[in-house]
């Protein structure tokens, strides 16, 4: 597994007693067309070529009030959004199925039948395909997985490019972020759109990309060439272009790893790691979030939280399990979309201390909407733990419902009001 327009020609002036109509946006028209348009306008106000002024005035007087002041045509009304409200969709789910929507679990990409069984038995909201196996990505195998769910399932992969991609054996290589930054943003947007169409054609709905970490690490470091640049402005431009390309292809992108993994002391796959203090992160690592989240539709992009020790933000637990992290993202960065954790099952920054059910509960209670695990493990024990927490109030019912609303909106199944 890889760690992976020319203005019209001169025209005769209008009658001096008539004010010019408001200026409209200019567009390229021929002189003949412009003359016809102006001629029609002049005729409409009673100025007739070769006619005496009193004739023109008489013609004007004979018009009915309706003819003199015809109403402007009305714009067609916007079509109604046919999707149900997210509140209604949530209320139609049982409490356990609401909790299941908050899990994205690993499935074996070489075992389509096994993946369908997991979805059928647990009603999880999403599945994650890791590793290099690709049977689930061929021959419409994911159709059976979708048919097994009570609701459409989010199908996610890590496909950033470079060291972290999933369909390269099927659809070709995607350059690393650092290599893409040597192209123009428009070229990167086009690359991402093409990749998004390839992913969508294979049944993938979410790409856990782009990486928006700001980093000057060597290429093969944990972030390294997964980062577009050590310049926050460059990261913002290129990550924004990549996300736009995915979105235009109909694939949901996820910005990662909040609040910033690019200057970490190590690899959170291997254990606990620290990053610069929060005040320092605000000066660089967090700037792409400031700029991107201010302009993006929060129902069409998500954020992934990393497993990081951040002085001034976290204490005993990594950022993915710390309530202050989600408060920062929601309140300071005003993000109201879907927030997910990094992998809770196979990354030792978490798994060295917590079982998967414990880690999932801790993350969701802290404020994550989705608990991600790449592990192929039974889902029932996780759901049992979450159900007990919901029943006891450790997970607030109202918070749980809001999280599910965000998840369903991220899947484009409903509209939030």
């Amino acid at each position: 597994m890889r760690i992976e327009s020319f203005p019209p020609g001169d025209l005769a002036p209008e009658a001096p007693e008539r004010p010019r109509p408001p200026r409209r946006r200019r567009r390229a028209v021929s002189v003949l067309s412009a003359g016809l348009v102006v001629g029609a306008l002049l005729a409409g106000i009673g100025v007739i070529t070769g006619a005496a002024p009193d004739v023109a005035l008489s013609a004007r007087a004979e018009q009915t009030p309706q003819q003199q002041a015809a109403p402007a045509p009305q714009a067609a009304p916007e079509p109604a959004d046919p999707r149900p409200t997210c509140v209604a969709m949530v209320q139609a789910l049982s409490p356990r199925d609401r909790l299941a929507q908050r899990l994205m679990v690993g499935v074996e990409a070489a075992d389509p039948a096994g993946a369908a069984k997991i979805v059928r038995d647990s009603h999880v909201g999403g599945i994650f395909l890791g590793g290099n196996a690709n049977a689930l990505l061929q021959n419409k195998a994911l159709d059976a997985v979708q048919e097994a769910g009570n609701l459409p399932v989010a199908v996610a992969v890590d496909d950033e490019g470079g060291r972290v991609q999933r369909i390269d054996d099927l659809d070709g290589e995607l350059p690393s972020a650092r290599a893409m930054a040597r192209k123009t943003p428009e070229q990167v947007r086009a690359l991402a759109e093409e990749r998004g169409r390839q992913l969508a054609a294979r049944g993938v709905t979410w790409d856990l990309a782009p990486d928006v970490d700001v980093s000057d690490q060597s290429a093969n470091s944990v972030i390294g060439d997964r980062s577009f640049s050590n310049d926050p402005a460059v990261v913002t431009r290129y990550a924004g272009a990549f996300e736009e390309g995915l979105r235009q292809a109909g694939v949901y992108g996820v910005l990662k790893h909040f609040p910033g993994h690019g200057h970490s002391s190590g690899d959170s796959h291997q254990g606990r790691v620290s990053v610069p203090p929060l005040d320092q992160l605000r000066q660089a690592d967090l700037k792409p979030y400031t700029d991107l989240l201010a302009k993006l539709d929060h129902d069409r992009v998500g954020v992934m939280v990393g497993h990081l020790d951040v002085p001034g933000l976290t204490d005993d637990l990594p950022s993915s399990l710390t309530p202050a992290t989600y408060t920062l993202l929601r309140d300071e960065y005003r993000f109201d979309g879907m927030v997910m954790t990094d992998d809770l099952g196979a990354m030792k920054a978490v798994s060295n201390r917590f079982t998967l059910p414990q880690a999932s509960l801790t993350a969701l209670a802290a404020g994550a909407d989705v608990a991600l695990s790449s592990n192929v493990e039974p889902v029932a024990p996780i759901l049992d733990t979450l159900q007990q927490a919901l029943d006891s109030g450790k997970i607030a019912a109202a918070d749980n419902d809001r999280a599910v609303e965000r998840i369903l909106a991220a899947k484009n199944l409903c509209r939030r009001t």
Side-chain angles (χ1 to χ4, degrees):
M1 173 177 176
R2 304 183 192 199
I3 296 297
E4 1 148 75
S5 75
F6 107 53
D10 292 337
L11 303 174
E14 299 187 25
E17 66 273 14
R18 291 290 172 186
R20 297 178 69 86
R23 291 179 64 89
R24 299 174 182 247
R25 183 172 58 186
R26 295 183 301 173
R27 57 181 70 187
V29 295
S30 69
V31 173
L32 176 59
S33 297
L36 291 172
V37 170
V38 172
L41 289 171
L42 293 176
I45 62 173
V47 180
I48 304 173
T49 303
D54 57 337
V55 174
L57 292 174
S58 174
R60 169 75 172 170
E62 290 175 1
Q63 289 180 329
T64 68
Q66 290 79 8
Q67 291 173 321
Q68 294 179 28
Q74 296 296 312
E78 290 289 333
D81 190 333
R83 299 174 301 168
T85 66
C86 294
V87 170
M89 283 197 74
V90 172
Q91 293 302 314
L93 296 173
S94 70
R96 190 174 180 90
D97 279 353
R98 297 180 203 184
L99 292 167
Q101 284 297 307
R102 301 184 69 178
L103 298 179
M104 176 168 280
V105 302
V107 297
E108 177 52 66
D111 182 13
K117 185 178 189 307
I118 289 173
V119 172
R120 184 180 303 110
D121 292 347
S122 66
H123 295 172
V124 290
I127 60 172
F128 175 79
L129 282 62
N132 295 320
N134 54 35
L136 263 173
L137 295 170
Q138 298 185 69
N139 304 315
K140 302 293 183 181
L142 281 166
D143 288 356
V145 175
Q146 293 291 358
E147 291 168 3
N150 62 335
L151 288 174
V153 179
V155 178
V157 297
D158 280 317
D159 202 71
E160 306 169 12
R163 291 177 289 144
V164 182
Q165 52 186 308
R166 289 293 172 265
I167 60 170
D168 44 315
D169 288 343
L170 300 171
D171 295 303
E173 295 273 350
L174 186 67
S176 70
R178 192 166 289 178
M180 281 190 275
R182 294 194 285 269
K183 303 177 183 292
T184 67
E186 177 54 33
Q187 287 173 323
V188 171
R189 187 213 61 75
L191 272 175
E193 182 174 359
E194 179 183 10
R195 192 60 155 204
R197 295 192 188 285
Q198 292 168 339
L199 289 167
R202 297 191 175 279
V204 174
T205 63
W206 289 15
D207 185 5
L208 308 187
D211 190 309
V212 300
D213 292 316
V214 177
S215 184
D216 58 356
Q217 293 176 347
S218 60
N220 290 325
S221 300
V222 57
I223 299 302
D225 62 358
R226 299 170 63 188
S227 167
F228 289 101
S229 176
N230 196 44
D231 182 340
V234 173
V235 172
T236 299
R237 285 198 301 274
Y238 282 89
F242 194 98
E243 184 279 334
E244 182 183 356
L246 290 177
R247 178 162 32 91
Q248 290 182 346
V251 172
Y252 183 86
V254 178
L255 314 180
K256 63 186 185 186
H257 308 80
F258 187 88
H261 207 317
H263 298 105
S264 62
S265 62
D267 184 350
S268 51
H269 291 85
Q270 304 304 321
R272 295 285 289 269
V273 302
S274 62
V275 297
L278 180 58
D279 287 346
Q280 189 172 334
L281 293 182
R282 284 193 174 103
Q283 297 172 26
D285 301 69
L286 281 164
K287 284 188 174 181
Y289 293 98
T290 302
D291 298 335
L292 291 170
L293 297 182
K295 66 181 181 180
L296 294 175
D297 181 345
H298 292 185
D299 283 346
R300 302 310 313 139
V301 67
V303 172
M304 176 187 285
V305 176
H307 308 315
L308 308 167
D309 293 339
V310 188
L313 180 68
T314 64
D315 189 4
D316 182 47
L317 298 176
S319 49
S320 57
L321 307 182
T322 299
T325 307
Y326 300 96
T327 299
L328 175 72
L329 182 55
R330 298 293 190 199
D331 293 354
E332 185 170 331
Y333 291 87
R334 313 298 297 172
F335 183 64
D336 190 36
M338 188 282 304
V339 181
M340 68 188 303
T341 69
D342 205 343
D343 187 352
L344 295 169
M347 298 179 72
K348 294 180 180 178
V350 172
S351 63
N352 276 349
R353 178 171 173 182
F354 297 95
T355 66
L356 185 52
Q358 290 171 338
S360 299
L361 169 57
T362 306
L364 298 189
D369 296 319
V370 172
L372 166 67
S373 169
S374 65
N375 299 50
V376 183
E377 292 188 8
V379 180
I382 308 173
L383 281 174
D384 290 343
T385 298
L386 297 179
Q387 184 73 65
Q388 292 168 9
L390 184 64
D391 293 343
S392 68
K394 189 168 185 178
I395 293 178
D399 292 342
N400 190 59
D401 287 359
R402 279 191 292 269
V404 180
E405 288 173 28
R406 286 189 284 261
I407 293 162
L408 298 179
K411 295 195 218 179
N412 204 27
L413 299 178
C414 57
R415 52 188 170 88
R416 291 202 287 169
T417 56

